[in-house]
Amino acid sequence: MSNSPAFIPFTRPSFNQETIDAVSEVLRSGWVTSGPKVAEFEATLSKYFGGRPVRCFANGTATMKIALQVIGIGGGDEVITTPISWVATSNVVLSVGAKPVFVDVDPITRNIDLNKVAAAITPKTRAIMPVYLAGLPVNMDQLYALAKQYDLRIIEDAAQAFGSQWQGKKIGSFGDLVSFSFQANKNLTTVEGGCLVLNNADEAKLAEKFRLQGLTRQGMDGMDVDVLGGKDNLTDINAVIGLQQLKQLPAYQTRRAALARQYFDVIRAELKSAGLDSLKLELPVENYTDSNWHMYQVVLPLDQLDCDRAQIMTELKDLGVGTGVHYPAITSFTLYKEQGYKTSDTPVAQRIGRSILTLPLFPGMADEDIGRIASGFIGILKKHRKN
Ligand SMILES: *Cc1c(COP(=O)(O)O)cnc(C)c1O
């Protein structure tokens, strides 16, 4: 074991000394929870998103829940979303008393199939909540055309898409409500955190209220609570981490895209040299302009293999390579099955949920890591190829 190379997790955050120093400074300052650093982070993010109002929250889940509350979604309402996402996406819809309606995904992008959205719209539909899996946005023109045609709000679950673009414009710099997560695995992290890009000052005020117990203050000593809010504020400790990460983001982006390019090259070369040209391994969309390369995900050709995904993951782990599953179809979870959802209603999502695999991708990886991962991975596929 001592001779084997270091274990490569599927992701790992990078924090430089400047970030560690900035955190220490906040700790020494005497003001550690929401304060001047959160305000600075929000102002910096607002600038980043072209001047749109931005408010920060304790995590991406709270951010999305508050987005729903800001536009008044609740009991009796339906929200159209994708079954291939982190379960937070639909959990927040349930948590405000509304009903998630799952539309199947596109097999190539693995994002919600916008061509199938119209058929899922009912008089109760209030919003569409697309998810940009691995940082690849949906067709934004088509998304906002649907919103206009059917008079729906959009809450973009852009948790994975910080730094992604659409036709040269940053995701978040246009559109309706756009929600980001700064959880530790995301491209820009505050350890835990999130932010919402809003349309105007009224929405921002409402978001602030929902963020802290529904509270508004008047004058020196006046307080009132007129809506039920939660405790979802970001701290200054988290905010300074975000401010430092923003400075490093361009370098992270470049590195992620370069590593993704290497994956395509090395995987294709390894498949060829292993004589596996007919193996239907599905690679991601090769998009270096819009995607932020949050993850590098393949869809395994389980029909052509004599084992399941867990076996492939185990053998990769034995080679010192961590992998992840992002994600099983949400409708496969007990909570959702109990509410009557069926995985068979979204067959593409069902297949992808069972066979998608996340390979390691993070800025701190070495070039040699990609070769080692890809050759190990293709070797395992070759071994398990049926006849
Ligand atoms: C990470 C993530 C969330 C939730 O964000 P948290 O900060 O973990 O609460 C929601 N949706 C998607 C698609 C995510 O990847």
Side-chain angles (χ1 to χ4, degrees):
M1 281 304 278
S2 57
N3 289 331
S4 58
F7 184 81
I8 307 170
F10 81 84
T11 191
R12 185 165 58 208
S14 314
F15 300 115
N16 59 12
Q17 187 58 46
E18 220 181 320
T19 307
I20 294 165
D21 294 344
V23 169
S24 305
E25 201 182 301
V26 174
L27 289 173
R28 289 196 192 97
S29 76
W31 191 281
V32 291
T33 186
S34 309
K37 295 300 179 185
V38 170
E40 185 186 341
F41 189 36
E42 288 178 342
T44 308
L45 288 168
S46 176
K47 210 167 177 185
Y48 178 85
F49 291 120
R52 302 184 72 198
V54 177
R55 292 297 178 273
C56 287
F57 304 92
N59 52 67
T61 307
T63 305
M64 287 198 298
K65 182 177 177 183
I66 288 172
L68 289 162
Q69 291 174 316
V70 163
I71 61 177
I73 288 183
D77 296 332
E78 294 179 357
V79 176
I80 292 175
T81 190
T82 166
I84 297 291
S85 183
W86 177 228
V87 68
T89 308
S90 53
N91 276 356
V92 293
V93 177
L94 292 177
S95 76
V96 298
K99 182 185 167 191
V101 172
F102 295 103
V103 166
D104 210 354
V105 297
D106 176 287
I108 306 298
T109 65
R110 305 153 187 171
N111 284 329
I112 190 168
D113 186 343
L114 292 177
N115 296 320
K116 292 184 178 156
V117 165
I121 294 172
T122 76
K124 293 178 178 173
T125 309
R126 294 279 318 279
I128 307 172
M129 203 189 256
V131 173
Y132 310 146
L133 192 71
L136 182 71
V138 297
N139 181 321
M140 303 301 283
D141 296 338
Q142 199 181 352
L143 175 68
Y144 280 98
L146 279 166
K148 198 170 175 199
Q149 186 180 350
Y150 295 97
D151 193 23
L152 301 175
R153 296 297 299 261
I154 303 291
I155 299 174
E156 300 180 31
D157 180 354
Q160 303 183 2
F162 200 99
S164 297
Q165 301 196 34
W166 173 254
Q167 291 175 350
K169 292 183 291 186
K170 290 186 192 94
I171 292 298
S173 68
F174 63 99
D176 197 350
L177 297 173
V178 189
S179 172
F180 294 92
S181 163
F182 303 138
Q183 188 265 344
N185 291 348
K186 306 303 202 274
N187 286 29
L188 184 141
T189 184
T190 60
V191 178
E192 297 284 359
C195 80
L196 185 64
V197 187
L198 304 115
N199 296 296
N200 53 56
D202 288 345
E203 284 183 354
K205 234 185 166 50
L206 208 45
E208 283 174 23
K209 245 204 268 195
F210 283 115
R211 175 169 73 179
L212 196 70
Q213 314 291 2
L215 187 76
T216 38
R217 295 177 185 276
Q218 298 106 358
M220 245 349 236
D221 62 349
M223 270 191 216
D224 191 23
V225 173
D226 62 351
V227 294
L228 179 60
K231 178 70 167 77
D232 299 313
N233 55 304
L234 190 77
T235 78
D236 272 16
I237 295 174
N238 302 103
V240 288
I241 298 172
L243 282 163
Q244 294 298 328
Q245 289 257 310
L246 263 176
K247 294 188 208 166
Q248 297 166 73
L249 193 72
Y252 289 168
Q253 283 304 121
T254 307
R255 184 67 186 143
R256 283 179 177 274
L259 291 165
R261 262 182 213 277
Q262 280 190 49
Y263 261 129
F264 283 106
D265 291 348
V266 182
I267 289 176
R268 284 174 182 145
E270 291 279 342
L271 281 171
K272 209 176 170 77
S273 70
L276 292 174
D277 298 293
S278 62
L279 200 69
K280 295 191 186 73
L281 177 70
E282 296 169 37
L283 303 183
V285 177
E286 199 166 354
N287 181 324
Y288 302 107
T289 54
D290 295 340
S291 178
N292 67 359
W293 290 102
H294 173 59
M295 296 189 279
Y296 192 91
Q297 299 180 287
V298 297
V299 174
L300 298 170
L302 291 179
D303 293 350
Q304 296 175 295
L305 303 176
D306 68 4
C307 69
D308 59 11
R309 177 174 59 190
Q311 181 64 28
I312 307 275
M313 293 174 78
T314 303
E315 291 183 28
L316 276 165
K317 191 171 172 227
D318 291 343
L319 293 178
V321 177
T323 53
V325 172
H326 306 93
Y327 300 91
I330 291 172
T331 46
S332 71
F333 295 139
T334 302
L335 176 72
Y336 287 84
K337 282 198 280 195
E338 281 175 355
Q339 300 199 17
Y341 292 101
K342 293 188 187 67
T343 50
S344 55
D345 289 344
T346 53
V348 181
Q350 185 179 24
R351 181 180 72 83
I352 288 178
R354 280 189 189 142
S355 29
I356 199 162
L357 185 69
T358 306
L359 299 177
L361 180 65
F362 54 93
M365 280 173 75
D367 287 346
E368 310 83 75
D369 292 336
I370 301 286
R372 187 183 133 210
I373 295 163
S375 70
F377 175 52
I378 302 305
I380 292 166
L381 294 183
K382 189 178 168 93
K383 183 173 120 192
H384 289 289
R385 201 211 172 148
K386 274 198 267 192
N387 47 61

